Amino acid sequence: RRSVSGFKSFGKPWSTVDGSIDHHPDTDLLLRGCKLPQVKEALELCERSHEILIPSVPLAGWDVAFAAQEDPEAPAQLVLLEANLSCNFFRGTVNWEEYGNILDLHFQALDRKFFG
């Protein structure tokens, strides 16, 4: 295990599109070529949490930790850390048309709910 220190992305590039970020910003662990296990399970955790905790919010960014177990062969324990309700897109790519459609549907639903 590596200890965590530092300010995550402090001084790092703002985007990963060009592939310039290939090490974890805190641990310096090489990420290039690695696959993150349990991504499907983490996605399902976020979707279930969203449906239960904030079903009326159209978009949230969820932080999930993949916590190592004492047994190195055991899968990581998924820990839901937080929902970011003012999430941003600076580290990803976005289908802006689809995003706009989601927002349009949300505001139409709000109009129907509050104004008939």
Side-chain angles (χ1 to χ4, degrees), residues 1 68-76:
R1 290 188 180 176
Q69 303 291 322
E70 285 191 34
D71 175 2
E73 299 299 316

Side-chain angles (χ1 to χ4, degrees), residues 27-99:
T27 64
D28 203 36
L29 179 69
L30 177 64
L31 301 173
R32 188 177 304 277
C34 294
K35 292 186 179 182
L36 185 62
Q38 299 174 273
V39 169
K40 181 180 178 203
E41 292 85 352
L43 177 60
E44 290 168 355
L45 173 64
C46 294
E47 289 175 340
R48 279 193 321 271
S49 299
H50 197 109
E51 289 172 6
I52 293 167
L53 298 171
I54 52 173
S56 63
V57 175
L59 180 68
W62 292 90
D63 290 348
V64 177
F66 291 71
Q69 303 291 322
E70 285 191 34
D71 175 2
E73 299 299 316
Q77 179 181 358
L78 299 177
V79 180
L80 188 64
L81 299 176
E82 66 180 347
N84 298 289
L85 300 179
S86 61
C87 60
N88 54 50
F89 304 106
F90 70 92
R91 291 228 183 241
T93 57
V94 176
N95 179 328
W96 291 107
E97 183 176 349
E98 186 174 341
Y99 174 66

Side-chain angles (χ1 to χ4, degrees), residues 4-16 21 23-27 88 90-91:
V4 176
S5 63
F7 290 100
K8 290 187 186 176
S9 302
F10 187 69
K12 300 286 185 184
W14 284 97
S15 174
T16 58
I21 300 174
H23 285 77
H24 188 280
D26 287 336
T27 64
N88 54 50
F90 70 92
R91 291 228 183 241

